[in-house]
């Protein structure tokens, strides 16, 4: 049997996804009004509005959908509570597709909810949130009132909430359902794992550092329940005034793996791992592939510059886990891409005992400590970046990072002595990385092209 899901962007009918389960065959049909609308966009570059002569590749449709699902424990919870197999991608998007990353909603109903339908808001008092965080090993954080809530992709525990006004103005947290409202923020509680202490504070520091450096990172704040919780403002959501009532408009985004039509398992460059027998296989997302996505954007030069800054900033903070699902694009009308704000910025190298191989190599180097001037020159050559531009940007960012990291370490956001000591450690690390990057990009600019 073939089953059908309807795809929506706000109240607009985008089209249908069909699935034949036995042979795992997928089909896509865009709705004619959607195709003819000048404001419309394709799901991804691999699934254009104009149907290809050979039709859409079944595997490309499945890959696109799979990227919308949560990972890790959140996926296990969704599987268990919905009585599904982990491999049942169609069943999972049917169960969880009312709230995904970006603009799209997936429903079994061919008719949208009427625009006048009331949204359901379920408030989450801080005391209840704190209790649920404490109990999350027994009752998963994605389960509320007996229902599994969608969690955006990633391995960390997350909860999608609607915030009625900024936290500093007394904003309240809600679970939101209905046609008018959707989540506007992502809550990421501290893990409580002794191997990754102060993870929420770590991400807050790195995200705020990027914003202090005038880099395009998502807005974040720390909520205390009193446990630290990182609150991330969703850049794929816009709250609008509709007749005196708030309405959440969803913006379509895709990550770099979706832009390149790669599977979730290919988010790391060494998609088969780093064992001796397979370490030479590098079919996953790489900096070279990422920079190639600039050809799909309206302004290639601006996009490449944004990608260069992103790559250099990851080096400055020591984020070895900057993989292909950690860079996203807005999909503009017609299908052109535009780099989206940054997210998931963490100084992974602050933690001992973890595999810190780089998710994507600088040149041929997968170890942070082994990145050399030649590796950066090789990186620039592969990605089509002028090495003098890299020197200028690297040294500018290094100077900014040293000053702003020191200032952020003194911010009032960090309440305990342990938090203040921890962020000072990140600031000191960033300062050392800045000195290192300043020299590396200067030396990289001196290599002759024929050696690369």
């Amino acid at each position: 049997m073939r089953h059908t899901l309807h795809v929506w962007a706000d109240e607009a009918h985008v089209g249908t996804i069909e699935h034949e389960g036995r042979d795992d065959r997928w089909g896509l049909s865009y709705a004619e009004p959607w195709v003819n609308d000048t404001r419309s966009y394709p799901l991804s570059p691999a699934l254009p509005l104009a149907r290809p002569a050979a039709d859409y590749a079944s595997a490309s449709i499945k890959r696109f959908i799979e990227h919308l699902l949560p990972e890790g424990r959140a996926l296990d919870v969704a599987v268990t509570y919905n009585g599904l197999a982990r491999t049942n991608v169609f069943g999972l998007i049917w169960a969880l597709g009312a709230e995904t990353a970006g603009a799209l909603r997936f429903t079994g109903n061919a008719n949208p909810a009427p625009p006048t339908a009331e949204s359901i808001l379920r408030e989450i008092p801080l005391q209840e949130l704190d209790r649920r965080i404490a109990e999350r090993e027994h009752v998963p954080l994605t389960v509320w009132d007996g229902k599994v809530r969608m969690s955006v992709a990633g391995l960390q525990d997350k909860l999608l909430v609607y915030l009625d006004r900024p936290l500093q103005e007394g904003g309240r947290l809600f679970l939101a359902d209905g046609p008018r409202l959707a989540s506007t923020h992502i809550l990421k509680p501290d893990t409580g794992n002794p191997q990754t202490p102060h993870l929420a504070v770590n991400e807050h520091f790195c995200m705020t550092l990027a914003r202090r450096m005038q880099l395009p990172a998502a807005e974040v704040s720390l909520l205390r329940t009193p446990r630290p919780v990182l609150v991330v403002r969703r850049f794929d959501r816009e709250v609008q005034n509709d007749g005196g009532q708030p309405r959440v408009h969803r913006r379509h985004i895709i990550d770099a793996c979706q832009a390149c039509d790669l599977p979730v398992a290919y988010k790391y460059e060494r998609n088969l791992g780093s064992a001796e027998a397979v370490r030479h296989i590098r079919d996953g997302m790489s900096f070279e592939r990422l920079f190639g996505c600039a050809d799909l954007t309206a302004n290639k030069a601006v996009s490449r510059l944004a990608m260069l800054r992103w790559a250099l900033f990851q080096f400055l903070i020591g984020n070895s886990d900057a993989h292909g699902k950690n860079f996203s694009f807005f999909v503009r009308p017609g299908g052109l891409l535009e780099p989206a704000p940054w997210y998931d910025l963490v100084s992974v190298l602050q933690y001992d005992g973890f595999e810190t191989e780089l998710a994507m190599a600088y040149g041929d180097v997968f170890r942070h400590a082994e990145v050399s001037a030649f590796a950066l020159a090789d990186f620039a050559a592969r990605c089509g970046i002028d090495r003098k531009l890299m020197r200028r940007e690297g040294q500018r960012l290094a100077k900014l990072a040293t000053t702003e990291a020191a200032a952020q370490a003194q911010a009032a956001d960090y309440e305990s002595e342990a938090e203040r000591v921890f962020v000072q450690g990140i600031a000191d690390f960033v300062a050392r990385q800045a000195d290192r990057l300043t020299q590396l990009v200067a030396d990289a600019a001196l290599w002759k092209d024929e050696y690369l």
Side-chain angles (χ1 to χ4, degrees):
M1 288 183 63
R2 294 185 70 86
H3 299 283
T4 299
L5 271 177
H6 294 268
V7 187
W8 306 90
D10 292 331
E11 281 77 49
H13 189 212
V14 175
T16 57
I17 299 285
E18 292 187 332
H19 183 243
E20 193 284 304
R22 180 169 178 173
D23 294 319
D24 197 25
R25 289 199 299 265
W26 295 71
L28 167 65
S29 296
Y30 287 107
E32 188 173 343
W34 179 259
V35 173
N36 295 331
D37 192 329
T38 57
R39 298 166 295 177
S40 68
Y41 42 79
L43 302 189
S44 75
L47 304 170
L49 291 173
R51 183 182 294 273
D55 210 347
Y56 300 106
S58 173
S60 294
I61 302 169
K62 181 180 180 179
R63 282 193 286 269
F64 174 82
I65 297 296
E66 198 166 17
H67 278 288
L68 301 176
L69 298 174
E71 300 174 69
R73 189 181 182 220
L75 179 57
D76 292 335
V77 170
V79 164
T80 301
Y81 272 75
N82 288 285
L84 296 166
R86 192 181 177 92
T87 55
N88 190 348
V89 174
F90 187 81
L92 285 164
I93 199 64
W94 192 317
L96 303 174
E99 174 99 42
T100 69
L104 306 179
R105 293 184 298 117
F106 299 81
T107 71
N109 193 339
N111 299 309
T116 55
E118 289 294 320
S119 293
I120 301 172
L121 289 177
R122 195 279 205 196
E123 186 173 0
I124 305 176
L126 284 189
Q127 185 177 14
E128 182 182 13
L129 178 61
D130 186 65
R131 176 175 58 81
R132 288 300 315 277
I133 294 172
E135 298 173 348
R136 60 184 163 175
E137 289 304 314
H138 307 289
V139 182
L141 195 60
T142 51
V143 177
W144 288 79
D145 306 324
K147 175 184 176 182
V148 179
R149 314 292 304 195
M150 179 59 164
S151 174
V152 291
L155 295 174
Q156 267 182 273
D157 281 340
K158 303 181 185 75
L159 183 64
L160 309 183
V161 298
Y162 171 78
L163 195 60
D164 62 350
R165 56 186 179 276
L167 286 171
Q168 59 270 28
E169 298 176 13
R172 297 178 297 164
L173 306 173
F174 297 88
L175 300 174
D177 290 296
R180 298 178 61 91
L181 298 179
S183 65
T184 56
H185 291 73
I186 301 171
L187 302 186
K188 301 175 73 173
D190 202 82
T191 62
N193 185 339
Q195 289 187 298
T196 54
H198 310 299
L199 186 58
V201 164
N202 186 330
E203 187 169 351
H204 178 271
F205 181 94
C206 295
M207 294 285 288
T208 307
L209 172 61
R211 291 181 64 83
R212 291 182 74 118
M213 293 169 62
Q214 304 300 307
L215 296 170
E219 296 178 23
V220 297
S221 58
L222 280 172
L223 172 69
R224 306 281 178 168
T225 68
R227 303 167 199 269
V229 178
L230 185 73
V231 182
V232 185
R233 182 179 177 274
R234 296 189 65 163
F235 49 78
D236 57 344
R237 300 287 189 266
E238 294 177 349
V239 180
Q240 302 173 340
N241 186 303
D242 183 10
Q245 296 294 320
R247 182 182 189 84
V248 177
H249 170 64
R250 309 170 190 231
R251 300 186 65 184
H252 188 38
I253 59 170
I254 58 174
D255 62 44
C257 286
Q258 288 172 307
C260 294
D261 194 21
L262 293 176
V264 173
Y266 280 51
K267 67 180 183 180
Y268 293 108
E269 184 170 349
R270 280 178 168 162
N271 54 295
L272 295 182
S274 55
E276 186 66 33
V278 294
R279 60 190 299 122
H280 63 286
I281 299 173
R282 297 164 59 177
D283 293 335
M285 178 56 65
S286 62
F287 280 122
E288 189 172 357
R289 283 184 185 269
L290 174 63
F291 278 74
C293 292
D295 292 336
L296 304 173
T297 66
N299 192 320
K300 299 177 180 59
V302 169
S303 297
R304 287 180 184 275
L305 183 58
M307 293 167 185
L308 173 63
R309 290 170 176 168
W310 183 79
L312 296 177
F313 186 79
Q314 308 294 350
F315 180 85
L316 284 168
I317 65 172
N319 184 13
S320 56
D321 196 40
H323 54 69
K325 290 185 67 63
N326 283 351
F327 194 100
S328 286
F329 301 89
F330 292 115
V331 183
R332 296 172 54 180
L336 286 173
L337 306 184
E338 176 187 341
W342 304 351
Y343 51 96
D344 288 355
L345 302 175
V346 177
S347 182
V348 176
L349 294 188
Q350 301 307 308
Y351 304 120
D352 296 327
F354 280 86
E355 173 56 59
T356 53
E357 178 174 284
L358 295 170
M360 297 189 286
Y362 295 95
D364 283 324
V365 174
F366 281 91
R367 291 286 173 185
H368 198 276
E370 297 172 6
V371 175
S372 62
F374 179 80
L376 287 183
D378 189 13
F379 153 79
R382 294 176 188 225
C383 297
I385 295 295
D386 181 85
R387 282 177 285 124
K388 292 181 180 178
L389 170 65
M390 183 174 69
R391 178 181 61 192
R392 183 171 70 246
E393 282 297 314
Q395 293 181 345
R396 183 183 71 85
L397 292 177
K399 183 177 181 180
L400 273 173
T402 300
T403 302
E404 298 300 342
Q408 183 58 30
Q410 303 303 313
D413 301 283
Y414 314 117
E415 296 183 353
S416 69
E417 179 64 20
E419 288 181 356
R420 288 191 288 271
V421 169
F422 183 80
V423 296
Q424 185 60 57
I426 302 179
D428 293 343
F429 174 85
V430 169
R432 294 193 298 272
Q433 286 300 106
D435 288 343
R436 185 180 169 203
L437 182 62
T438 297
Q439 188 61 54
L440 287 177
V441 293
D443 293 344
L446 300 177
W447 279 94
K448 295 182 179 180
D449 292 342
E450 55 263 33
Y451 295 146
L452 300 173

